[in-house]
Amino acid sequence: ATFMLLFARMSGLIVFFPFFSHNSIPMIIKTTFALFLTMYLFPLAKLEILHLDSFFIIQLLSEIVFGMIAGLMLQIVFAIVMMAGEQIAFTMGFTMASVLDPSSGTNMPITSQILHLIALLFFLAFDGHHLMLLFLSHSLGYINLGGFYPHENLMHYLNMGMLNIFIIGFTMSFPILGISLLADTIFGLLMKTMPQFNLLVIGYPIKIALGFVVLIAILLVMMQYFKDLILEVFTHMQTLFFA
């Protein structure tokens, strides 16, 4: 029973956590990795109350919910970056240039895909995947197997995180939105002074070039802020899960 509950917690890591849940990783690799993690962390696991009846199914579900909520807290930060990419794509006129996102299986603008891949590389660069493994190992000492339940503060934090997807995502893309608004104002003045100025031929390539220049200029700041948000989530995890 202890092994099954621990395997359910490790499976929640593989299914819901960033990078580990990527669809391009074969399912057999994910299952094998979860099995090896379970065997490795089994000496740290403890089960105070053993239920071999229908309540054991509820304990298994609680472990899956634990991985789902912890993964959702991290996925919200990646969603903020993708939201910023969608705003940038809308401003630069790349809304129709959508590609398939292999991690979620949905279509998204090309700028969102690029920012998501850069954020994932940045996440691996500062050992975010190692922090997730450390979080799971520490959780065995604070949350008994099958004893997790989502309390009110945790749900309130997730609600605020959903709100921050739009607020912080718009804030990240605001420099490009401001440059685009300024470019539209200048193009409008040029259209009034020079009616022969073809906005469709000249204006849009200039807006795209300005957008890429500003994106390259602010990319490092965006990724640094992304790192701060990820580390802040791990800090909140210790407060919300281990309280």
Side-chain angles (χ1 to χ4, degrees):
T2 304
F3 188 87
M4 288 297 297
L5 290 174
L6 182 59
F7 184 72
R9 183 174 293 192
M10 296 301 111
S11 300
L13 161 74
I14 301 301
V15 173
F16 299 108
F17 276 52
F19 174 69
F20 295 106
S21 62
H22 207 281
N23 288 337
S24 61
I25 302 177
M27 186 58 64
I28 189 172
I29 301 297
K30 296 179 181 179
T31 308
T32 305
F33 184 63
L35 180 62
F36 275 111
L37 278 179
T38 305
M39 296 169 61
Y40 183 75
L41 297 176
F42 185 75
L44 301 177
K46 56 182 178 179
L47 182 61
E48 292 187 355
I49 302 176
L50 177 62
H51 296 275
L52 294 179
D53 51 6
S54 59
F55 189 74
F56 182 71
I57 305 299
I58 299 178
Q59 288 181 309
L60 284 175
L61 291 177
S62 70
E63 292 301 319
I64 297 175
V65 170
F66 172 79
M68 180 183 69
I69 293 179
L72 180 60
M73 293 173 65
L74 292 171
Q75 290 286 1
I76 285 175
V77 184
F78 283 89
I80 290 174
V81 176
M82 288 188 286
M83 181 65 185
E86 290 183 4
Q87 293 288 334
I88 294 171
F90 180 78
T91 304
M92 296 171 62
F94 285 167
T95 309
M96 295 297 294
S98 299
V99 292
L100 180 66
D101 179 24
S103 62
S104 61
T106 58
N107 288 329
M108 64 172 55
I110 186 68
T111 52
S112 295
Q113 180 74 2
I114 292 174
L115 289 178
H116 180 258
L117 292 176
I118 294 176
L120 188 61
L121 290 175
F122 206 77
F123 180 76
L124 298 176
F126 67 85
D127 291 335
H129 54 303
H130 293 166
L131 293 177
M132 289 190 293
L133 297 177
L134 289 174
F135 165 74
L136 279 179
S137 64
H138 291 162
S139 69
L140 296 175
Y142 293 93
I143 302 176
N144 294 325
L145 292 175
F148 171 76
Y149 66 95
H151 51 82
E152 182 180 357
N153 293 333
L154 191 58
M155 294 296 101
H156 178 70
Y157 179 83
L158 290 177
N159 291 332
M160 294 301 298
M162 295 296 179
L163 179 63
N164 288 333
I165 291 178
F166 301 95
I167 297 177
I168 302 179
F170 178 79
T171 305
M172 282 186 174
S173 61
F174 185 76
I176 297 178
L177 298 180
I179 289 294
S180 177
L181 180 61
L182 180 61
D184 289 337
T185 304
I186 295 175
F187 292 153
L189 295 175
L190 288 176
M191 286 287 291
K192 289 296 183 180
T193 57
M194 293 186 299
Q196 66 273 16
F197 179 74
N198 195 336
L199 180 62
L200 293 176
V201 176
I202 302 176
Y204 283 109
I206 294 177
K207 284 182 62 177
I208 293 173
L210 286 175
F212 274 118
V213 169
V214 177
L215 180 60
I216 293 172
I218 67 173
L219 185 59
L220 181 59
V221 179
M222 289 178 63
M223 292 298 106
Q224 187 63 43
Y225 188 55
F226 165 79
K227 176 183 176 181
D228 295 339
L229 289 176
I230 289 289
L231 296 179
E232 184 179 351
V233 167
F234 279 111
T235 303
H236 291 160
M237 280 183 177
Q238 297 178 1
T239 305
L240 295 173
F241 284 100
F242 303 153

